[in-house]
Amino acid sequence: MKKYFYVIENALLNLSKNKGRNFLQGAMIFAVITTTVIALSIHNTSVTLISEYKAHFGSEVSISPERMPSNLPGITAEQALAFSQSEYLRDFEVSEPDDSSEAVDAVFYLKSPELLEAFAAEVRGKGLPDGYKVDIDRDAYARMVTPLEGLQDISFTFLLIVLALGAAIMVLLSVIAVRERKYEIGVLRAMGMKKRKLAMGLGVEIIAITCVCYLFGMIAGWLLSQPISDALLTGQQSAELMNAVAAQPLTSVKISVSPLTALEIFGVAILLASIAGIISVRQVTKYEPIKILMERN
Amino acid sequence: MKCLELADVYYRYEGSADYVLKGITASFESGKVYTIIGESGAGKSTLLSLISGLDVCTEGDVYYEGKSLRKLDRDDYRAKSVGVIFQGYNLLTNFTAVYNITLSMSISESEITDRQAKKEAAYALLDNMGVDRETADRKILYLSGGEQQRVGIARALSHNPDVIIADEPTGNLDAETEGAVLNIFTRLAHEDGKCVIIVTHSENVTAIADEVIGIRAGKLLSGTEYRASLPCHVSYPSQENLETKIKENEQ
Ligand SMILES: Nc1ncnc2c1ncn2[C@@H]1O[C@H](COP(=O)(O)OP(=O)(O)OP(=O)(O)O)[C@@H](O)[C@H]1O
Ligand SMILES: [Mg+2]
């Protein structure tokens, strides 16, 4: 291990030299990390919320006449009680009947949204006549979930673009960096430094830059993702939807950077570092010292 | 003792059709100073790059202590067995002179492992070359050509190699420093038993040689053409000249 100590020392010393180049590379990683934090945390938050909302609104079933206005009466308390005796439900609520009629407002809570059809079939089996629909509150569902799904799509596309662009730029930067350092590499190789150690040195440099940029990128991304999410959500909510539903629409999602998100982004950082590292190492192993030094002389 | 041998060495640069070296056979012993002379473009630096294991010959073989450089770990060979002083110095320009030396020691896995001791040894080596501490702590970028050359020499000697290979090592030095450097080379060969091979255009350098090797257009010069190419005072290792040299010494 001690034999490798100087390689690490040399790599860290190299960081303080060539500030311009390192800054450029660092800024690139920083930008990618920041945008990834934003995209990923928005994405993850919307995924979580969607599943929560789906579970909530998707399992809130009511039974009502198919076409409104209708002369069909609402279901009776008796019916409601019969329907509520179901394996598929976790709970139900029935209001007091009106004075004028037998009809009640009943809400059935499914154990999970997928059980809707099974429950509907069961209810029909128990004698619910045609002309009634067994369904969730589609309006509320759309109001809550649609903008989130839009957000999820946007952030995912954005994430892919950032990653592809980031990877491409990292490749470019690494190629340029190694070219720029060809002479230095030639000198080290001429002095007898092995390719493996040279590669290790370059790796240490890239990892050091990446770690610092990861930290700063996380902080910047965390600060920026909330305002950006708010702006996106506002854009997602179409005017029609706002008019269609009088109820309070979704204007804000609390964005959080979960440990999982942080880990995913660390994965992204490692991916970027690996790309840069692999490119550098490939370049280094391609060069023979004599050729580099001859070019110079 | 035979240290290095060239056996019918041919070399051609990649992508170029002509051979730069055309069938060179020679041997170098420990404890001697060799100079290689020849016109610009004759192939001297190319020859050194093969001897120093920076490249391998296209045909033929270079042997170090009887082992082909093709089969040796040439990184280790460069790091430990040879010290090369390049025509263009080839120092790390962004680092200090002393760092260039200690890095070379680290690469060669020198027995000095303590940081401070390493640094002191580097300062001492540089001091030997007439580079004081203040200069040694400066970046190579801010050193004069002559100073860089001396740092290059110090680096080549820093890991105590068996073979010292120098390409125009005194080209940028004043007469006084050149004398000091040549003294060091002579001492390294004659007292420490190193094999010293120097490419030079300078008559002062050929003067210290135990053997002079002439090269023209990629071939060794021999006999009369070889002698004609030498400066008149140079002692070359043929029998008749050895005799005249002895006579001169006796007078
Ligand atoms: N990378 C290269 N590719 C092709 N040809 C080369 C290359 N490097 C050198 N040469 C050619 O090889 C020949 C020998 O070059 P070399 O550098 O060995 O000469 P030299 O004897 O050291 O000359 P000088 O005294 O000027 O240093 C020259 O003709 C040169 O043009
Ligand atoms: Mg030359």
Side-chain angles (χ1 to χ4, degrees):
Chain A
M1 193 58 230
K2 203 151 187 205
K3 271 181 3 191
Y4 290 93
F5 190 71
Y6 80 90
V7 179
I8 296 167
E9 190 192 2
N10 189 58
L12 296 181
L13 263 174
N14 265 329
L15 287 179
S16 65
K17 317 275 163 183
N18 299 308
K19 290 200 185 69
R21 184 189 58 224
N22 290 329
F23 185 79
L24 198 70
Q25 207 157 14
M28 200 49 236
I29 299 176
F30 171 80
V32 172
I33 296 286
T34 308
T35 38
T36 311
V37 178
I38 295 170
L40 253 185
S41 56
I42 292 176
H43 184 256
N44 287 353
T45 310
S46 47
V47 167
T48 315
L49 285 179
I50 285 170
S51 68
E52 270 173 24
Y53 285 155
K54 271 189 175 162
H56 186 249
F57 292 98
S59 61
E60 212 177 293
V61 181
S62 54
I63 297 173
S64 55
E66 218 153 274
R67 263 179 299 276
M68 288 296 227
S70 157
N71 39 18
L72 286 174
I75 59 167
T76 61
E78 220 168 295
Q79 281 176 307
L81 215 63
F83 298 157
S84 71
Q85 304 301 312
S86 167
E87 278 287 290
Y88 305 124
L89 299 182
R90 65 179 147 80
D91 201 5
F92 68 98
E93 278 171 21
V94 182
S95 67
E96 289 296 310
D98 282 356
D99 293 338
S100 56
S101 72
E102 298 266 279
V104 289
D105 282 333
V107 185
F108 305 94
Y109 297 99
L110 294 170
K111 281 180 179 154
S112 89
E114 302 86 70
L115 299 173
L116 178 62
E117 280 184 20
F119 177 66
E122 188 190 76
V123 166
R124 295 209 189 276
K126 285 179 181 168
L128 182 72
D130 288 347
Y132 288 88
K133 65 180 163 99
V134 181
D135 206 353
I136 56 170
D137 184 349
R138 294 282 164 195
D139 273 350
Y141 186 81
R143 189 170 70 236
M144 302 306 272
V145 174
T146 313
L148 278 173
E149 275 175 343
L151 191 58
Q152 186 189 346
D153 286 349
I154 289 184
S155 58
F156 190 68
T157 317
F158 183 61
L159 182 67
L160 289 184
I161 293 172
V162 166
L163 286 184
L165 223 64
I169 293 173
M170 282 306 282
V171 168
L172 210 72
L173 275 180
S174 308
V175 171
I176 293 171
V178 175
R179 285 228 170 144
E180 226 179 273
R181 299 176 67 173
K182 226 165 139 176
Y183 169 71
E184 176 195 330
I185 289 164
V187 170
L188 290 170
R189 294 279 291 118
M191 283 162 83
M193 195 189 248
K194 288 196 177 355
K195 283 177 180 173
R196 151 166 59 86
K197 287 189 178 169
L198 206 60
M200 180 184 157
L202 290 175
V204 169
E205 283 181 45
I206 291 164
I207 288 171
I209 296 179
T210 307
C211 284
V212 171
C213 296
Y214 171 73
L215 254 160
F216 283 107
M218 284 296 287
I219 294 169
W222 177 65
L223 290 176
L224 284 172
S225 47
Q226 186 68 55
I228 290 179
S229 151
D230 291 348
L232 284 176
L233 266 178
T234 317
Q236 276 298 303
Q237 284 174 321
S238 64
E240 295 165 57
L241 201 63
M242 300 273 269
N243 292 338
V245 289
Q248 188 189 24
L250 192 62
T251 49
S252 180
V253 171
K254 183 92 191 73
I255 300 292
S256 62
V257 180
S258 67
L260 179 72
T261 310
L263 204 70
E264 281 170 329
I265 290 157
F266 193 69
V268 169
I270 292 295
L271 185 82
L272 289 178
S274 317
I275 291 173
I278 289 167
I279 296 288
S280 308
V281 169
R282 268 184 57 111
Q283 296 260 109
V284 166
T285 39
K286 217 172 59 187
Y287 293 144
E288 282 307 320
I290 178 71
K291 277 155 204 140
I292 302 172
L293 298 180
M294 279 287 182
E295 270 173 37
R296 170 87 163 196
N297 294 337
Chain B
M1 196 190 80
K2 257 187 202 157
C3 181
L4 276 164
E5 272 190 280
L6 307 181
D8 206 19
V9 166
Y10 281 80
Y11 185 82
R12 168 161 61 85
Y13 281 98
E14 223 178 82
S16 129
D18 300 326
Y19 280 92
V20 175
L21 300 175
K22 302 160 187 162
I24 296 205
T25 300
S27 69
F28 301 90
E29 291 174 18
S30 303
K32 282 192 176 177
V33 177
Y34 296 82
T35 59
I36 300 176
I37 59 171
E39 295 146 14
S40 182
K44 306 181 297 294
S45 297
T46 308
L47 186 65
L48 288 194
S49 72
L50 298 183
I51 297 176
S52 55
L54 282 166
D55 209 347
V56 286
C57 25
T58 317
E59 283 155 48
D61 242 325
V62 178
Y63 296 94
Y64 169 66
E65 291 180 340
K67 286 174 293 263
S68 165
L69 285 193
R70 280 180 206 283
K71 289 171 195 146
L72 278 182
D73 180 335
R74 286 191 299 283
D75 293 332
D76 273 345
Y77 173 71
R78 284 198 302 273
K80 294 172 185 169
S81 308
V82 293
V84 188
I85 299 146
F86 294 93
Q87 199 166 11
Y89 318 135
N90 291 338
L91 298 162
L92 294 175
T93 49
N94 247 329
F95 290 93
T96 64
V98 72
Y99 183 75
N100 270 271
I101 313 279
T102 52
L103 183 62
S104 164
M105 290 168 148
S106 302
I107 292 177
S108 66
E109 292 165 11
S110 107
E111 57 262 44
I112 310 174
T113 47
D114 180 65
R115 276 172 74 92
Q116 204 50 42
K118 221 181 244 181
K119 227 173 160 180
E120 285 308 323
Y123 279 126
L125 257 168
L126 286 166
D127 193 54
N128 261 350
M129 290 293 144
V131 178
D132 58 36
R133 268 179 186 249
E134 189 268 321
T135 317
D137 284 330
R138 236 184 289 152
K139 273 190 193 179
I140 297 296
L141 223 47
Y142 308 125
L143 297 186
S144 74
E147 284 165 339
Q148 292 190 30
Q149 191 145 44
R150 282 177 274 168
V151 175
I153 299 172
R155 182 183 63 183
L157 304 181
S158 67
H159 51 282
N160 193 23
D162 291 336
V163 184
I164 291 142
I165 296 168
D167 203 345
E168 292 281 355
T170 59
N172 267 311
L173 302 184
D174 56 70
E176 198 188 332
T177 324
E178 181 182 38
V181 166
L182 291 182
N183 264 334
I184 290 172
F185 282 147
T186 320
R187 229 178 332 129
L188 283 168
H190 295 167
E191 288 171 25
D192 302 340
K194 311 283 184 198
C195 176
V196 180
I197 305 171
I198 310 170
V199 163
T200 189
H201 290 290
S202 153
E203 296 178 6
N204 296 336
V205 180
T206 38
I208 67 154
D210 298 301
E211 265 185 55
V212 179
I213 294 167
I215 180 169
R216 175 180 292 159
K219 288 183 179 162
L220 288 189
L221 292 174
S222 59
T224 48
E225 32 168 21
Y226 164 54
R227 233 159 279 142
S229 75
L230 297 182
C232 54
H233 76 275
V234 168
S235 53
Y236 20 91
S238 64
Q239 197 53 42
E240 47 176 311
N241 280 283
L242 220 61
E243 283 160 19
T244 46
K245 201 179 176 184
I246 292 164
K247 272 184 210 145
E248 271 171 21
N249 284 349
E250 281 167 359
Q251 278 163 15

